[in-house]
Amino acid sequence: MKHNSQENELTLRDVFSTILGSIREFKGKSVLTPILVTGEVVIECIIPFVTASLIDAINHGAGMDTIYHYSAILVGLALASLTVGTTAGVTGSIASTGLARNLRHDMFASIQGFSFSNINKFSTSSLVTRLTTDTNNVQQAYLMLIRMAVRAPLMSIFAIVMAFVTAGPMAAIYIVVALFLALGLGAIAVKVMPIFRRVFKKYDELNDSVEENINGIRVVKSYVREDYERTKFGAAAYNIYEDFVHAERILALNAPVMTMAIDVIYLFIVFFGSQAIVTSHGELLNVGSLSALVTYGFSMLIALMMLSMVLVMITMSEESARRICEVLVEKSDLTNPADPLMDVPDGSIDFDHVGFKYSADAEHRALKDIDLHIKSGEVIGIIGGTGSSKSTLVSLISRLYDATEGSVRVGGHDVREYDLETLRNQVAVVLQRNVLFSGTIKENLRWGDENATDEQLVEACKLAQADEFIQTLPDGYDTYIEQGGTNVSGGQKQRLCIARALLKRPKILILDDSTSAVDTKTDGRIRAGFRSYIPETTKIIIAQRTSSVKDADRIVVMDRGEINDVGTPDELLERNDIYRDIYLSQNKESHDEKMEELEQEAQAAGKDGERDA
């Protein structure tokens, strides 16, 4: 996981208040649950006292009427305890699952508002872990907080108080044992806390390994690297296993510590309690009181064990809650201005001495002094080697990033003056690896225009050269696309994404190497479709093939984040080494013919000049 700037700034108070902010409509049940649990504890502490009174009454020769009376009270208390406890379980479950639902909703909504620079702070697998495993941990911890964390200390306190009421000074043993257990169980919890913190970071590494393997499964199989990937995954899984085993070994000490405490209390009460009953002939302590004392002892010990489980769960979930809060408190670098522009006049684009760095502390500038002015409706090609920042340049147009230096204007206005949604609705981007979502072809196309008719869908697909292959599919435009478009080829996916962009009828259309998977003939037909369907739209074509930009009004040659040259294809072929090298590598056979044609044109122009003179 990439480090988040918030990671070292969030205090426990920040984490707690942020998580509680997602309770919202479940506040009522969150408050009701502890109240019900308190009632349950009070009733359970009354039952041993009534039982002791019943035993004493029997010892004194009470009749069946008395027994029936006490029995009715005990049954009523038991039913009341069951009712209150069950209700607390229901309300607690609703509150905790509701919190988990809201946390997932809030995190997902927060992620949707992130800029690319925000998203870069988290890995994909880390975000998935936060939405799933981490949220589940917080859900379980919250349920324990509003139930067990209330029940355990109350039961311990009430049990000790009732023990003193029932047996007097002899109940002091409970305070001694409680302090001993609190220290022991607290030490265990403190010991396992750093282990669980390590584990959740290793979960990210494990998920990274899975995601990378699945995304690159074709490469893995092509290079027969299955054994290597299995070993790699096994190592990540084993690291988590080792940490969990270490933590479980420490937590296993809970049982012997608790058993020892139970044995100590049992031996003490049985020996000294029996001695007190015999020597005082029941005046200091009677059988009923001894029974109640034992019951309260076990209740206190069970409550302390529950409290230790709560501490462990809170320890596990603290890191999860912190990781969730990192997403929730992350603020997007890109925000709307106070009074945003809600209309983009045209597709003109101006880069005024633009510089850009991916982060404030980065030493390298991805873009340097970009000064470029594009008229509305122009066709602009962008070409350059790998790493020349072609894609970075166009990302500034739709404000996926903000320029670090200078300004980017669209329609005569700085892009930072527009409402983000308005701006991005007028800038359609088709990437080389664009994404199709699970659903029918029609549903995917209507991402461009949700109100598009079937006829408009067909028209856009014909222009994008997609209609022909769609018609061959069994269900045509109703064909279901698997997640990520895995059941269509790369070229088919690109053409569907181009059709989707055409349906937006944007003021600016950016094609980022988006015809790399189609043949040159189809590529030419798609460009021809652009001219007829969206003639007034500014079209920016990033390409590796010079044939893809041969019809451009101008071509921008990028080199190491700078504009190396701008000109027509013929001008660049004559004067620009970078463009010429790319052109020659792709058009060796036709180059001589092209140069001869240019030379003849130059000679003809010279002769015309002589005749005019």
Side-chain angles (χ1 to χ4, degrees):
M1 184 191 78
K2 299 180 181 180
H3 292 291
N4 187 347
S5 59
Q6 299 286 347
E7 186 170 356
N8 298 320
E9 298 176 10
L10 288 172
T11 64
L12 189 58
R13 181 178 179 180
D14 293 332
V15 172
F16 193 70
S17 61
T18 302
I19 294 296
L20 290 183
S22 294
I23 295 175
R24 294 195 290 275
E25 68 269 33
F26 299 99
K27 283 182 181 177
K29 288 183 171 57
S30 296
V31 172
L32 180 60
T33 300
I35 294 173
L36 292 170
V37 168
T38 302
E40 182 186 20
V41 170
V42 170
I43 294 170
E44 288 184 5
C45 286
I46 293 173
I47 290 175
F49 189 80
V50 175
T51 303
S53 299
L54 174 60
I55 293 172
D56 290 340
I58 293 173
N59 285 338
H60 289 91
M64 291 304 297
D65 289 344
T66 303
I67 294 174
Y68 289 147
H69 173 72
Y70 278 109
S71 297
I73 294 175
L74 288 173
V75 170
L77 289 172
L79 290 174
S81 176
L82 177 64
T83 302
V84 173
T86 302
T87 306
V90 172
T91 57
S93 297
I94 292 173
S96 61
T97 53
L99 172 64
R101 186 195 73 180
N102 287 348
L103 282 175
R104 290 192 179 97
H105 172 273
D106 294 347
M107 275 194 288
F108 191 77
S110 182
I111 293 167
Q112 294 303 301
F114 283 174
S115 66
F116 280 5
S117 58
N118 294 120
I119 292 173
N120 288 340
K121 294 179 182 179
F122 307 92
S123 67
T124 303
S125 58
S126 176
L127 290 173
V128 171
T129 303
R130 293 167 203 243
L131 283 161
T132 52
T133 304
D134 288 334
T135 304
N136 287 337
N137 288 336
V138 170
Q139 175 185 335
Q140 294 302 319
Y142 186 67
L143 179 59
M144 285 189 168
L145 277 172
I146 60 178
R147 288 200 67 197
M148 287 189 183
V150 174
R151 177 186 172 84
L154 283 179
M155 179 60 80
S156 299
I157 294 169
F158 286 1
I160 291 173
V161 169
M162 292 301 293
F164 273 103
V165 170
T166 303
M170 190 175 294
I173 184 63
Y174 289 167
I175 296 177
V176 175
V177 174
L179 291 174
F180 166 76
L181 276 177
L183 290 173
L185 299 177
I188 291 171
V190 170
K191 189 74 174 174
V192 299
M193 188 179 297
I195 300 175
F196 285 123
R197 285 178 177 165
R198 281 201 311 269
V199 164
F200 289 113
K201 291 180 180 176
K202 290 184 178 181
Y203 266 129
D204 289 346
E205 296 173 8
L206 185 71
N207 289 339
D208 273 335
S209 177
V210 173
E211 180 189 5
E212 186 179 49
N213 180 270
I214 292 173
N215 288 338
I217 192 65
R218 289 178 175 81
V219 178
V220 172
K221 291 188 175 298
S222 298
Y223 285 87
V224 196
R225 298 285 282 177
E226 291 91 343
D227 288 341
Y228 170 80
E229 288 295 320
R230 275 194 289 268
T231 303
K232 179 181 171 183
F233 178 83
Y238 188 74
N239 282 336
I240 295 176
Y241 160 79
E242 281 190 318
D243 277 340
F244 266 119
V245 167
H246 187 196
E248 291 297 334
R249 283 174 180 167
I250 297 172
L251 290 176
L253 295 174
N254 275 353
V257 169
M258 188 62 65
T259 300
M260 184 174 69
I262 291 172
D263 291 342
V264 168
I265 285 180
Y266 186 74
L267 288 172
F268 182 89
I269 291 175
V270 169
F271 180 78
F272 290 102
S274 300
Q275 188 180 54
I277 292 172
V278 172
T279 56
S280 67
H281 302 289
E283 292 183 6
L284 293 176
L285 188 72
N286 53 42
V287 176
S289 298
L290 180 64
S291 172
L293 192 62
V294 172
T295 303
Y296 287 132
F298 282 112
S299 296
M300 182 202 70
L301 291 175
I302 292 172
L304 287 175
M305 178 170 278
M306 289 169 58
L307 191 59
S308 71
M309 292 171 58
V310 171
L311 289 174
V312 171
M313 191 64 213
I314 291 174
T315 299
M316 290 176 61
S317 64
E318 181 191 345
E319 183 63 21
S320 291
R322 190 175 298 276
R323 285 156 53 84
I324 289 171
C325 288
E326 286 172 6
V327 177
L328 294 177
V329 303
E330 180 74 23
K331 301 299 181 185
S332 177
D333 296 336
L334 306 178
T335 56
N336 274 344
D339 188 19
L341 297 174
M342 303 302 292
D343 180 61
V344 180
D346 57 51
S348 62
I349 306 166
D350 296 284
F351 292 88
D352 290 328
H353 301 285
V354 169
F356 174 72
K357 294 193 296 185
Y358 280 102
S359 63
D361 55 352
E363 296 180 4
H364 172 71
R365 286 192 298 171
L367 293 172
K368 307 165 194 172
D369 194 29
I370 302 296
D371 199 61
L372 177 65
H373 305 278
I374 302 170
K375 297 176 183 177
S376 182
E378 266 196 295
V379 179
I380 300 295
I382 300 181
I383 205 161
T386 302
S388 58
S389 297
K390 303 184 294 295
S391 297
T392 303
L393 177 68
V394 297
S395 294
L396 302 182
I397 298 172
S398 57
R399 219 185 151 202
L400 299 176
Y401 295 102
D402 270 343
T404 310
E405 303 162 11
S407 65
V408 180
R409 298 199 308 274
V410 170
H413 298 280
D414 192 310
V415 292
R416 286 168 284 204
E417 297 176 13
Y418 286 108
D419 172 71
L420 269 172
E421 186 175 337
T422 298
L423 175 66
R424 290 174 181 171
N425 271 333
Q426 294 301 326
V427 181
V429 182
V430 185
L431 304 171
Q432 179 183 11
R433 291 188 176 182
N434 225 313
V435 176
L436 293 175
F437 296 90
S438 53
T440 65
I441 289 177
K442 283 182 180 179
E443 290 169 345
N444 271 276
L445 292 173
R446 287 195 171 109
W447 275 61
D449 179 4
E450 61 183 359
N451 298 315
T453 64
D454 288 352
E455 291 75 17
Q456 289 172 323
L457 298 183
V458 173
E459 181 186 12
C461 286
K462 284 181 177 178
L463 292 167
Q465 306 302 305
D467 179 71
E468 185 177 349
F469 85 80
I470 294 174
Q471 297 294 354
T472 64
L473 299 174
D475 297 317
Y477 283 80
D478 291 313
T479 298
Y480 189 84
I481 298 294
E482 301 293 341
Q483 185 178 14
T486 54
N487 58 332
V488 291
S489 70
Q492 290 171 341
K493 188 188 301 185
Q494 285 185 341
R495 282 176 276 171
L496 287 172
C497 291
I498 291 171
R500 182 173 63 189
L502 287 173
L503 284 164
K504 288 185 73 172
R505 288 186 175 271
K507 295 245 179 12
I508 298 169
L509 174 64
I510 298 171
L511 303 174
D512 190 351
D513 208 13
S514 54
T515 57
S516 58
V518 301
D519 59 81
T520 53
K521 185 177 180 181
T522 303
D523 188 7
R525 288 175 178 171
I526 292 172
R527 294 197 309 275
F530 293 159
R531 287 194 294 272
S532 64
Y533 190 68
I534 46 173
E536 297 179 359
T537 295
T538 303
K539 293 167 277 290
I540 298 177
I541 304 171
I542 298 175
Q544 300 293 335
R545 296 189 305 217
T546 56
S547 60
S548 296
V549 294
K550 67 179 182 179
D551 298 327
D553 297 315
R554 289 183 294 159
I555 296 175
V556 179
V557 180
M558 296 290 296
D559 184 36
R560 299 178 184 179
E562 298 179 277
I563 293 179
N564 180 271
D565 202 350
V566 180
T568 66
D570 290 344
E571 289 171 347
L572 294 176
L573 190 58
E574 283 192 51
R575 71 175 186 236
N576 189 270
D577 292 337
I578 295 176
Y579 182 82
R580 188 185 303 114
D581 288 344
I582 296 172
Y583 179 85
L584 286 173
S585 66
Q586 298 172 3
N587 304 274
K588 290 180 181 178
E589 295 181 1
S590 60
H591 174 62
D592 292 339
E593 295 177 7
K594 182 67 177 177
M595 294 306 293
E596 184 178 344
E597 181 183 334
L598 290 173
E599 186 176 347
Q600 289 173 356
E601 289 177 359
Q603 289 174 354
K607 289 178 181 179
D608 289 342
E610 290 176 4
R611 281 197 296 270
D612 291 341

